[in-house]
Every structure is written in C-alpha cells, then in structure tokens.
Amino acid sequence: MLQYALLHLFGYAVSIDDLKHFRQVDSITPGHPESHDTPGIEVTTGPLGQGFSNAVGLAIAQAHTAAVFNKPGFDLIDNYTYCFFGDGCAMEGIASEAASTAGHLQLGNLIAIYDDNHISIDGDTKCAFTEDVLKRFEAYGWHTLHVKDGDHDLEGIEAAIAEAKKVKDKPTVIKLTTTIGFGSKLQGTGGVHGNPLKADDIKQVKEKFGFDPEKTFVVPQEVYDLYHKHAAEGAAAEQEWNKLFEKYGQEHKALHADLARRLTRDLPEGWQNKLPTYKPTDAAIASRKLSESVLEAIHETIPELISGSADLTGSNNTRWKNAVDFQPPSLGIGDYSGRYMRYGVREHAMAAMMNGMSAYGTIIPAGGTFLNFVSYAAGAVRLSSLSHQRVIYVATHDSIGLGEDGPTHQPIETLAHFRALPNMMVWRPADGNETSAAYYMALTSKSTPSILALTRQNLPQLDSSTIEKAIKGGYVVLEDPEANITLVSTGSEVAICLEAVKTLKDRHNIRARVASLPCVEVFDAQPKDYKLSVIPDGIVAMSVEVMSTLGWEKYSHEQFGLNRFGASGPYKKVYEKFEFTPEGIAKRAVATVDFYKDVKPLRSPLNRAFTQLI
Amino acid sequence: MLQYALLHLFGYAVSIDDLKHFRQVDSITPGHPESHDTPGIEVTTGPLGQGFSNAVGLAIAQAHTAAVFNKPGFDLIDNYTYCFFGDGCAMEGIASEAASTAGHLQLGNLIAIYDDNHISIDGDTKCAFTEDVLKRFEAYGWHTLHVKDGDHDLEGIEAAIAEAKKVKDKPTVIKLTTTIGFGSKLQGTGGVHGNPLKADDIKQVKEKFGFDPEKTFVVPQEVYDLYHKHAAEGAAAEQEWNKLFEKYGQEHKALHADLARRLTRDLPEGWQNKLPTYKPTDAAIASRKLSESVLEAIHETIPELISGSADLTGSNNTRWKNAVDFQPPSLGIGDYSGRYMRYGVREHAMAAMMNGMSAYGTIIPAGGTFLNFVSYAAGAVRLSSLSHQRVIYVATHDSIGLGEDGPTHQPIETLAHFRALPNMMVWRPADGNETSAAYYMALTSKSTPSILALTRQNLPQLDSSTIEKAIKGGYVVLEDPEANITLVSTGSEVAICLEAVKTLKDRHNIRARVASLPCVEVFDAQPKDYKLSVIPDGIVAMSVEVMSTLGWEKYSHEQFGLNRFGASGPYKKVYEKFEFTPEGIAKRAVATVDFYKDVKPLRSPLNRAFTQLI
C-alpha cells in the first residue's frame, strides 16, 4: 500500500479510487504489487527475497548497460537502484545468494535499505533470527551503514544515502533500526504487519501526525504540491536526458540506434536468418550442443542477449567462444560490458536476478542449470511468468538420459510442474531445427519466459523437421494416412518413436504416425483445425515421454512415461531398464490400438466439451 | 565414491564388486549416495546444499532427543554430527538458511568441515565467489577454525576437531584449505571434479602414494586391518550402549519403552482414536484450523511429532496451545526438549532440515508454510520423496481461496507439480474427517512424505465423509444410481459441487453424483474394482479443482480448473470471477454430458490399455 500511495502522490496513473479498491477483484492495487498491472511498479514482489534479488538484477543491468553505452560526456545510464527489505527477506536463502553475488560483482550503484524492526510474522525475531546481518553483508563485500533511530532520524537517513553514493566499488546496505507500525497503539508488534488498524487506533495515529481523524482518503493540497514538485523535477530530468540522448545520436549513431531499439524490445531485423538449420544427413548432436550453436550464431546480431550459468558452463554449453565475462574490472577476468554471467551455484537468485535484468529493459537474459535444478529456482521462475519477463532458462540434462548422475539429478516431475505454470513456454526440442525454433519463440515472445529442456545425449536430425513447423509447438514428423495410431512425443523420444514405427509395421502389422510436440503451450494456441491435423479424430494416440505422464492425457488416449524415480547408469542402459526402446514403445502401442478398437466415435483428445478459462 | 569406499573399508555391506559397479544400473553405488539404497548412507545428497542442511536437521534431532531422554548417568544421546561441504554448498541459499538456523539454535554437537579448495565446476571460485565464508559463519553465531594446509596437516585437522568439541554452545565450522585432486597431474583444477583420471595420471598418483600402479580394486590387508580395528571399536561401543540402554530401561521404564518404540517407527497403540471426527451438523471450519485440531488432539499421544512453521505460525495453525519452543535454553524462550520449531522464513532449509530430523529416527517432523511457498523448498521436498522420509508439509492457503494476498501467493501449478513427484502423497481434504484421514495416512506411511493442502476459508462438514472412506484417497460423497455425470473434486470445491448437483437437477434435469479425491496417489493404489465404483464406466466424469487442470484428465473426461493466475480480492468474489460457483460448474457439466452422449462404450478414464511402470 505504501508503494501504491507513493505512486499516487507522484502522479502516476494510480488514483484515490484505485487506492480505495486495494485488494479488490480487477483493481490495479492487488495484495502484492505486480509490474504488469500497475503503472510505476517496476518488479513483481511479495514472495520474500524476490524483490531484493530483482534489485541486484536491475543493478547488474545498469552496470552492463552503462559499460556498453556510456561515452565521455554521455553518462546516459547512471541510475542508482534502491531496494527496501525486511527481516523476512534477510532470512531467505535467495537473498543471501543475491547479496553474495552483488558483493562479488562490486555493484556500486546498488543501495539496499534493511528495515531492522525486529518483528516478523512469528513475533520478535529473537525466536529464529539472531545473526549479525551487517557483519554478514560485510563478509559478502558490501559497504555497511547503520541509522540507529530510523523512526525519527531523517537527516541520518539522508546522510547515509549520500555516503552510500560515495562508495563506487561496493554495494551499500543501510541498516535502519525502526519500530514497526510506528505511531500505532500496536507499534513494535506483529499485529500491524498485515491487519488494518482498529478505528480508535487509526484515529489516534492521525491525530498524532497532525491529520484530521474524521477524514479518510484525503491528501492535503500542500502534500500534493510537494510531491508534484518532485515529480516535475523528475519530468524535467527526463527531458534533459532525452536531449542528451538525441545529441548522443549525432555522435554515436550506431549505439544510439541500438539502445533505442532495445527499449522497444524488438530484435534487430533479420536476426532470425542467423539461426542454424539442419538436414537429415547432419550428424547427431546433443541439444545442449545445438543450443550452444544457436548462441554462437546469434550473439553478435543480438547484443542484448546476456548468457550465463549457475556454475555449469561446460555442461550447459551456454558460453560462446569469444565471450567476455561480466565482472568487476579490478578482478582482471572480465569487465562490465561482458555478456557472460558467472552466477555461481545460486539457481534461485539467478532466476530472480534475471527477472530484474529483464525488467530493466535493455537485456534478454539466458541462464543455465540442469533441468532438475530449475526446481531450486521455482519461486522466481513463477514470477518470470507472472510478471511477463522474457527470461530464458537453458535447462540441460533433461531426463534419465543424463545417465550416471542418477536419480538425484534426473527430472521426473519437472516438466509437468512448469507446464502447469501459466504464461511459461516449456520447450523440449527433438533435434537441431526444433532447437532453433525454441530459441526463435523464446526470443520473440516479449512477455513470456521459456524453459528449454535440452539433452546431454546425442539426437539424430529428423527427416521432416523445420523451424517453421516447430514454431507451431507441434507438428507431424511422420504422416501415414492409414495409420492405426499416433505416437505423440517430445525431445529425445521422438527418434525412438520413429524406430518404433518400423517395429510396429514389421512385427505387428500396425501402422503408426508420429507427432512431435516440442512445446505444448504454443501448440495449444494454434487453430483447432491445425491441432486436429496433428492429433486427429478417429486415430488413437499414445504419448511417449521419459518422465511423469501427468498432463499427457490432454494430448493422447494412453501414456507411456516414467512415474517413478530413475536410475544411475550409462544412459542407454537406463533407457533399456525402463523399456524406452522401439520394442517397449511398440508393445504399448499394440495394447493401445487393441483397447480402443471398439470405441465409437473415437475423438481426438483435443476435442473438448468446453473451453478453459485463460 | 569416497563415501562408498569408506563404507567398504569399515565393513558395511558394500563390497569391492559394488565399488566396481559404481554408477551402473541396479547397483547400490549410484552416482550420488541414496540412503534408501546403500547400507551406511545416512542421508541422500548430491543436489548442493542439501547435505549441509540435513546435517543441521540431524543435529537438531540429536539435541532434542538428548533433552528428552538423557538422564543423570545416562548420556544416551550424545553423538556429534559431522558434515563435509564445499564451495558449491556454501554458495547455495539453502545452506545459508540452515547455517543461520544452526547458529541461532546453538547446536554445539554440529561440526561442519568446509573443503576450501577454490574450485567449482566453472573453475577458480574467484569468478563468482569471493566472500569471506568464515566471517559469514561468525555472523551466524558459529565457532570458526581454519586449518591452512588441509593437504598435509592431519594433526591440525585432528586438533581442530578436538577444539570444536570443547565449544558446547555453538556449532563449529572448520575451514580446511585444500588442493582438489591432490596428487593428480590435474590437481588444483576443475578437471578432477567429475571425470576419471587418465591412465598415466592414475599410475603416477598410485606411485606417489606408495601403491602398486599395476593393481586395481585392491586393498592391502594392513589397511583392512586398520579399518576393521576401528569398526570393532565401534561395534564394542554399540554393545556398551545397548547395555546402558538396558540399564536405563530398569530405571526409566516409560522413557525406555518410548525410545525403543520410536526407533521402530511404529506409532503408539491406539493413537488413531484421538483423531477428531465430525458430524454433518458440526460448524464449517477452515481446514488449516481442522489441522490444528488434529495436532491439539494427538500431540500428547505421539511424542515424536515435532511441529513448526517457516514464520507463519498464526496462519499455518501449526502450534498446539501449550507447546514449548525448541530453543537454546539461554534465550529464555524455550529449551531443547521443546517440540515447536521456529524455522524462520527459510522454507528450503526447513524442508531439508526436516529430512535430516526424520532420518535421525526419533522424530516425525511437520512444518508449515503457504502451499505456494512449498515451491521455494522444491529441491528438498523432492529428496523427502526420493529418500523415503516421513516428513509432513502443512501447506495452508491452498488456492485462490486465500483471497486478498493475490496472484503472487495463490497456487495454480503447485499441486500438479507435487502430484507428478513419485512417492509423495498430496492431500487436499474437503472437511474435518478428510483432514483427520490425511493425518492418519501421513503419520502411518513410514517411508512416504505428505503435503497437506489446507484452506484459509471455512469448509462445511460433508454428509457422508468418514476417516475410513477418505483414507482410500477417493470415495463417493453423493451417490445416484441414475446419474448422468460424476463430478470429481477435492478440498474446498467438493461442497460447491454438492450445491451444483441441486442446480443441475432443478434447472437442467441432469442427475449428478460426486466423488471426493483428497489424495490421488493413495486412490491410485486401491484395487481397480473399488476405483471403478468411484468413477464408473458408462458415466461421464468432470473434474472440479480451482487450479491447473494438468493431470485431471487421468480421473475425468473433462476438466474445470484455472489455467491462469488468480486475482486479489475477497475470496468469494474471486471464486465468482472465475465461475467456481454452483452455476459455473453446472454450465460445464451440461456441456460435458451433451458432448459425450454419443460415445460408446463410454469407459471410465481409470480403464487403461496398459499398466504404468512404477
């Protein structure tokens, strides 16, 4: 509510009426601020630790954008990033990860204010949180300050911020010791965290601070005047910046055009011509390597693409050959114009920092980890979706096909999880053209994040795949007008299904067609006629994907999957153990054809009685 | 491999042959150690930060069990918990959360050894991790020590451990500066992290350390003798402990019986008679409150039940009235015999610590947070399942029914995620009897964790629910032999479905029956005949659950759910917005009945062509 009230005072499109509709259906003032809904909200926060980590991402984006575009006489990109956080955020591991990263990266323009009020939902923080927070931030390499009387010492706060700005090579945390609900009868207790104050308490608070206790939702004109004056100063600064940017355009034409384009979120024209394409005769390649080839091919054309990994660079294949690390120059291993992020083993903060980087508006972040460990980042991945950020998760080692690392690392539930998440594209490409298609959609979808599930093991190039077909999310890989069954599959299992077609024909006299569904979310959005051409009426369909079958009932009558944990071993042996072989698929296809032979009419599973709410 | 090799040397049932089958299918030596598979492996680790947090949980369990059972002359429970962790673990937020908790809790018997080798997968930790780890642990309240030459200084290591044992009121971290792959030609590089050494390198390493380079998988007899001597000392100590425990039984009969019982993981006889039951005339109550009533009713009878919350005690309703906090006595707000955990805002570490607490063998941990934030803990929740721990997640605020907090807090994808996770029971009870049933199953399933998805809003008591019916995971709430449709639902939507039955009858002349499926995993395990009596052939079924429909195709022909993010507002308004009303359900039921009227035979969705691998 403080954010909404301030936005109102500063003249953003948040009216008194909007404030009155706080936490009401279809208002622009939901219970926690959402960047997509409310003018002036920069990132979607509420889930603890996310906002802090978003701030680190915004500061990374600022440092990078400044390093790329600032020139002598043109300090175009010089903003500070401010963030308020409380004890709850300070306890969350994601914020620890982000703070450690910010200290390492020496993000001098980041100023975080720690509202040290000793209270969390469970009451006095003494019950769970007795560490020395400033000492911890010092250990991370932050500049630390303490304002002891945050309730009254406004000069102290201003002085601390001024001091923070002087330190250029460290982020600053200002510990502000405060009283929660200052002025209320319940001040200093958890009772003022989420509940409205009682009527008599509101009255005495208003009196205490010189307001008329009988009036509600009233802002004195002098308060509006004060805030509007500041807002006008901001607007004037924006005008000045616009002039500076115009002048910049005369001296640095290409850079000017690049920055102006980035702010529209459009990609450079013709970039898609750089996407690699493959012929059936090309070698079998792991899709993590195919992803690397895409990055290699497009990184020069798309300068806003910033790749990185949570300490799995060599496994995720996220780094193009001549990449420079994004690093503080003093370390001697990169600089702030570098486009490769070393996130460390910090998956959750990586995701939340990428949300912040994307929100800044000049960057498209892509970050790698094993698919199984995208789950470590689930809290932030959810917010990529909810806040419409174009963030790309490069999720390699996507199944039991990773082999030896075993069940602790083999995803079973992961794709079902993220397919159930609204506004998320989950891609599981089957070959090179499908991998290029996944990147095409991930990069051109301005307000939808993507997870690219990629293999460790090699995949043959399919006979009939093209980028154009695959960007529909699903298409027919092998047609047969007389087919008895459609095999619906993704990723590494598509090629095994194609083998199974031969087994079915040769040994069982059953004819099969094969559909590849690299992205069910994109497929769902196609016209119904098209979808029914891929998974038609009258032919039974069986899905084949080497993980949880949950959700595949939507695209098939029967499902072959893995509803148990995997096994450690060489990947082909693991596939054999679970019968993900042409024979294993054929056996189940035979049972499926037999089971459905008497059903009339046999409708495609895509034919539904009513439309879902979306 | 080091763990497996040591287990072999100490005489555990891990043979040289098992070592030869490292990372092979169906071996007991998978790529990362799993407690369920391998004798002597105490917790399932590999995913970074989990083992460290498990260790904190084991140390919590030790402190609690000691406080409950130790008596003068009977130091029954006095073990130290040792843990090795590297830079990767140190970077993970989960380990930060657990370390902060351990410092707060003053766990003196916890000794963590930090393998400070400067190398992670991406190479020199300088690229991402330049913080001062010991200073950070000091900030958490740990005792810190440093052995500077961990490659050679064995006496220094021994002395550090001895010093660690002297400090009784703080956990100790020993920073051991080492060289990764010490002795190899690749020592000090990431090249020795996961890859086998080359033949010539193996040869020179063996020579360097005095082994015959021509021999493989050979242990000199004097090495066996040394380890077996230590193992015999351990066995003798166990004998002594057994004698002490027998003597304890004479002096402390009830405590002896309690501890002996706990170690079998059986519950006290007759405990289930304490479970609350409800009549249809009882008041409507939120299931989070029903859960509180269960805890209130059973906590005296099941002393091993340790409840807690990640800073949402008042919202999760996880604390019985006279509960004592598990706290270091010096804080004056509890003691180590206390059975209520204040986990702080640390969901991921809470889950991993509960895994450790459960693995200790004397505790059943139950921990609360909002269902949406169980996702923060996904990495550890997965390991609850994989390692067969009886851990209970009390997950309140289970849907858009939480209302005002809005989309950032309203689960959509969460149940689909955890239903896709093998060996996890996801319960979403519809009333009081179903809530008691959920606890019955959660507590009696010795090797399966549970998530209890509970409402914020009140739920009426159903006419026909009983614990006996609900423990089957699914049952008929309202039968009608002439029904045109089965409504399949869970939790807060079951009562709305019952209202919809009246709407369908009165306005549409359609007869409906209702099935409640509080736990699909348990329902799946019932005999097929029973399942088909709940969702029969010949009647179309429609699922109703106010979140992602993903997976409901398995139990219904059509699905009514919410495949988008929710909305902030009073919960009834939010339900109305998305048409989760008797009318909204009836409308879709009519369309469903109409759409399927021509299908022959109309099979139950539970009738399948083949059986899944499990």
Side-chain angles (χ1 to χ4, degrees), chain B residues 181-386:
Chain B
F182 178 61
S184 155
K185 289 180 183 178
L186 296 172
Q187 73 172 30
T189 75
V192 286
H193 167 80
N195 296 325
L197 302 185
K198 289 187 178 158
D200 65 326
D201 198 6
I202 292 175
K203 186 160 180 277
Q204 69 86 23
V205 169
K206 286 189 177 175
E207 278 167 355
K208 195 178 284 174
F209 292 111
F211 293 95
D212 182 342
E214 304 308 320
K215 290 186 179 166
T216 58
F217 290 102
V218 167
V219 179
Q221 191 55 44
E222 67 254 44
V223 173
Y224 274 132
D225 290 347
L226 178 76
Y227 278 92
H228 289 171
K229 182 169 156 285
H230 286 311
E233 288 162 9
E238 188 179 341
Q239 285 303 319
E240 261 182 64
W241 191 91
N242 288 340
K243 275 187 213 155
L244 184 71
F245 189 48
E246 206 184 310
K247 195 174 155 210
Y248 180 78
Q250 291 151 17
E251 297 191 28
H252 303 283
K253 200 169 170 183
L255 284 170
H256 177 275
D258 183 21
L259 181 53
R261 179 191 58 76
R262 290 193 193 193
L263 294 172
T264 67
R265 303 212 175 207
D266 288 334
L267 298 177
E269 260 183 59
W271 75 274
Q272 67 273 22
N273 301 327
K274 302 279 182 183
L275 284 169
T277 55
Y278 298 83
K279 298 186 300 294
T281 49
D282 287 336
I285 309 175
S287 51
R288 60 172 172 156
K289 292 289 292 178
L290 294 164
S291 162
E292 183 180 46
S293 296
V294 173
L295 294 173
E296 197 64 67
I298 66 172
H299 77 269
E300 278 186 25
T301 310
I302 307 183
E304 63 266 45
L305 180 63
I306 307 287
S307 191
S309 161
D311 195 48
L312 287 167
T313 297
S315 300
N316 297 147
N317 301 92
T318 32
R319 195 167 196 268
W320 52 83
K321 277 197 201 80
N322 65 355
V324 173
D325 276 16
F326 177 86
Q327 293 283 358
S330 66
L331 288 177
I333 52 175
D335 62 61
Y336 287 137
S337 74
R339 290 170 55 198
Y340 194 75
M341 299 292 307
R342 303 282 185 176
Y343 290 106
V345 192
R346 305 180 182 106
E347 298 82 6
H348 200 177
M350 173 173 76
M353 291 188 293
M354 291 201 293
N355 287 340
M357 290 159 72
S358 168
Y360 196 78
T362 56
I363 283 174
I364 303 173
T369 184
F370 286 179
L371 176 58
N372 195 52
F373 301 120
V374 179
S375 300
Y376 267 46
V381 173
R382 180 172 215 274
L383 290 170
S384 303
S385 295
L386 180 59

Side-chain angles (χ1 to χ4, degrees), chain B residues 284-292 315-317 370-371 394-403 427-431 435 452-460 490-494 546-547 571 575:
Chain B
I285 309 175
S287 51
R288 60 172 172 156
K289 292 289 292 178
L290 294 164
S291 162
E292 183 180 46
S315 300
N316 297 147
N317 301 92
F370 286 179
L371 176 58
V394 180
T396 70
H397 296 64
D398 74 337
S399 76
I400 58 168
L402 64 85
W427 285 89
R428 189 167 186 252
D431 74 349
T435 304
L452 314 185
L454 305 167
T455 64
R456 176 176 183 240
Q457 73 272 29
N458 286 340
L459 305 178
T490 73
S492 42
E493 286 75 74
V494 175
V546 68
M547 47 192 81
Y571 97 86
Y575 266 66

Side-chain angles (χ1 to χ4, degrees), chain A residues 23-26 30-32 34 44-45 47-48 50 88 91-93 96-97 100 104 120-122 126-132 135-136 138-140 311-313 327 331 333 342 344-347 372-373 375-376 378-379 382 385-386 404-405 407-413 416-417 420-422 542 548-551 553-554 557-559 561 563-565 568-570 573-574 577-578 588 591-592 595 598-601 603 607-610 612-614, chain B residues 23-26 30-32 34 44-45 47-48 50 88 91-93 96-97 100 104 120-122 126-132 135-136 138-140 311-313 327 331 333 342 344-348 372-373 375-376 378-379 382 385-386 404-405 407-413 416-417 420-422 542 548-551 553-554 557-559 561 563-565 568-570 573-574 577-578 588 591-592 595 598-601 603 607-610 612-614:
Chain A
R23 301 190 155 201
Q24 300 303 310
V25 168
D26 296 329
H32 293 87
E34 295 177 43
T44 297
T45 59
L48 293 174
Q50 300 292 337
M91 283 188 252
E92 286 285 5
S96 298
E97 292 174 359
S100 174
H104 169 80
S120 67
I121 307 257
D122 268 12
K126 182 182 169 184
C127 76
F129 189 55
T130 44
E131 62 172 66
D132 181 339
K135 185 171 179 177
R136 171 155 67 91
E138 266 173 38
Y140 294 139
D311 196 48
L312 287 166
T313 297
Q327 293 283 358
L331 288 178
I333 52 176
R342 302 282 185 175
V345 191
R346 305 180 182 105
E347 298 82 5
N372 195 52
F373 301 119
S375 300
Y376 267 46
R382 182 172 213 273
S385 295
L386 180 58
E404 288 83 351
D405 267 333
T408 56
H409 288 51
Q410 292 167 344
I412 299 294
E413 75 286 10
H417 171 190
L421 179 65
M542 181 180 91
S548 173
T549 55
L550 198 97
E553 299 89 350
K554 188 172 168 189
H557 301 89
E558 296 286 322
Q559 300 76 39
N563 294 314
R564 50 156 287 167
F565 290 108
S568 172
K573 297 279 183 194
V574 178
K577 175 180 170 67
F578 297 120
R588 289 164 177 85
T592 298
F595 191 74
D598 61 339
V599 177
K600 300 277 182 267
R603 292 212 184 94
N607 253 323
R608 315 299 302 190
F610 56 87
Q612 297 292 334
L613 294 168
I614 47 169
Chain B
R23 302 190 156 202
Q24 300 304 309
V25 168
D26 297 328
H32 294 86
E34 294 176 45
T44 297
T45 60
L48 292 174
Q50 301 291 338
M91 283 189 252
E92 287 285 6
S96 299
E97 292 174 359
S100 175
H104 168 79
S120 66
I121 307 258
D122 268 14
K126 182 181 169 185
C127 75
F129 188 56
T130 43
E131 62 172 66
D132 182 339
K135 186 171 179 178
R136 171 156 67 90
E138 268 173 36
Y140 294 140
D311 195 48
L312 287 167
T313 297
Q327 293 283 358
L331 288 177
I333 52 175
R342 303 282 185 176
V345 192
R346 305 180 182 106
E347 298 82 6
H348 200 177
N372 195 52
F373 301 120
S375 300
Y376 267 46
R382 180 172 215 274
S385 295
L386 180 59
E404 288 83 351
D405 267 333
T408 55
H409 288 51
Q410 293 167 343
I412 299 295
E413 76 286 9
H417 171 191
L421 180 64
M542 181 178 90
S548 173
T549 57
L550 198 97
E553 300 90 349
K554 188 172 168 190
H557 300 90
E558 294 287 320
Q559 299 76 39
N563 294 314
R564 50 156 287 167
F565 289 108
S568 172
K573 298 278 183 195
V574 178
K577 175 180 170 68
F578 297 119
R588 289 165 178 84
T592 298
F595 191 74
D598 61 339
V599 177
K600 299 276 183 282
R603 292 210 183 96
N607 252 322
R608 316 298 302 189
F610 56 87
Q612 296 293 332
L613 293 169
I614 47 169

